[in-house]
Amino acid sequence: MTLESEDLLQSILNSLDRIDYIRTQDIPDIELYMDQVTTFMGSRLKNSARNPEDDKILTKTMINNYAKNDLLPPPSKKKYSREHILLLIFIYYYKGILSISDIQTILRPITERYFHKKGDSFCLEDIYNEVFGLEKAEVEFLKKDVAEKFQKAQGTFSEAPEEDQAFLRTFSFLCMLSFDVYVKKLIIEKLIDSCGELFESRKEK
């Protein structure tokens, strides 16, 4: 690998290290107005945006659309609870790869069963902590996988014109990552279809 490619790989791995999630202890234990919700989400998740200084993590329009599409229960007296924030975080991660309909299928049983159940033996906050508690180990796995794909891409196009090799190897890397996302999205959609069937059968019972 050239020095430039080593720098690129290290930059990518460093960006993965900056991936973070909102911890439940960081969420205000009071209800928030919409402006406070968008400010809180923006301050906590802007590092994951493509253009942190320009991209909006969450807007009033987005929140209203989520409520309109039954992804988010309506606020109480225009105030949003901790549980609303937890659902918005899930929606934030889902919306880049899933349709509104698929997100509805995933979140509807969670919302109906666990929303505003704080104080029960098991609640939405418990689900959130369980899922996001896996994050650190998953990031380490992803870093290893990305590094392996990058190294494999660096071995491609050795017969191509020398002036094109760097671009074509980057193209190889993009293709491998894209195919990985494509396959995982297919798996996610299969799981969602199964979740929908399970949800309907549970309702019937």
Side-chain angles (χ1 to χ4, degrees):
M1 263 195 323
T2 65
L3 182 60
E4 290 82 3
S5 61
E6 288 178 353
D7 289 343
L8 175 59
L9 176 59
Q10 192 57 52
S11 175
I12 293 169
L13 297 180
N14 288 343
S15 69
L16 292 177
D17 282 331
R18 289 193 295 272
I19 293 176
D20 200 3
Y21 72 97
I22 300 175
R23 293 161 179 79
T24 51
Q25 59 264 35
D26 296 331
I27 301 174
D29 203 16
I30 57 172
E31 295 185 328
L32 303 176
Y33 288 106
M34 187 178 287
D35 284 342
Q36 295 172 307
V37 172
T38 57
T39 298
F40 173 78
M41 292 284 285
S43 66
R44 295 291 176 169
L45 293 174
K46 68 177 182 178
N47 285 339
S48 63
R50 186 173 187 176
N51 300 297
E53 300 306 318
D54 300 319
D55 294 347
K56 296 291 185 182
I57 298 298
L58 191 64
T59 66
K60 294 179 182 180
T61 301
M62 290 177 188
I63 293 177
N64 287 330
N65 283 338
Y66 299 153
K68 182 180 178 181
N69 286 285
D70 296 323
L71 297 181
L72 193 71
S76 174
K77 299 179 181 179
K78 298 184 178 180
K79 288 186 176 182
Y80 296 84
S81 66
R82 286 168 60 89
E83 286 91 346
H84 281 108
I85 301 296
L86 296 175
L87 288 174
L88 284 169
I89 297 168
F90 279 120
I91 293 168
Y92 172 75
Y93 287 112
Y94 287 143
K95 68 185 179 71
I97 57 172
L98 299 177
S99 67
I100 292 293
S101 176
D102 282 343
I103 300 174
Q104 287 173 336
T105 301
I106 295 172
L107 290 184
R108 188 184 299 122
I110 300 295
T111 302
E112 289 187 0
R113 190 172 179 86
Y114 299 108
F115 188 78
H116 277 173
K117 299 294 184 180
K118 189 173 181 181
D120 288 3
S121 59
F122 199 75
C123 64
L124 184 58
E125 191 167 318
D126 295 316
I127 294 173
Y128 180 89
N129 285 331
E130 185 82 19
V131 170
F132 283 92
L134 303 172
E135 182 224 31
K136 186 173 181 180
E138 185 65 17
V139 168
E140 291 305 313
F141 171 80
L142 287 171
K143 286 171 63 178
K144 181 179 179 181
D145 182 60
V146 166
E148 289 176 353
K149 285 182 169 61
F150 188 87
Q151 297 285 359
K152 188 178 292 185
Q154 292 303 303
T156 62
F157 292 109
S158 57
E159 302 300 320
E162 186 174 350
E163 64 271 19
D164 294 337
Q165 288 182 5
F167 164 75
L168 290 171
R169 286 167 180 166
T170 300
F171 181 71
S172 288
F173 187 42
L174 285 168
C175 286
M176 283 191 286
L177 291 173
S178 298
F179 183 70
D180 186 69
V181 173
Y182 168 74
V183 172
K184 287 177 180 176
K185 188 172 185 291
L186 290 179
I187 295 171
I188 290 169
E189 289 169 348
K190 291 288 185 184
L191 286 170
I192 290 172
D193 292 342
S194 298
C195 285
E197 294 170 3
L198 285 172
F199 174 62
E200 291 303 324
S201 64
R202 188 167 66 91
K203 284 181 66 176
E204 291 172 0
K205 292 179 181 179

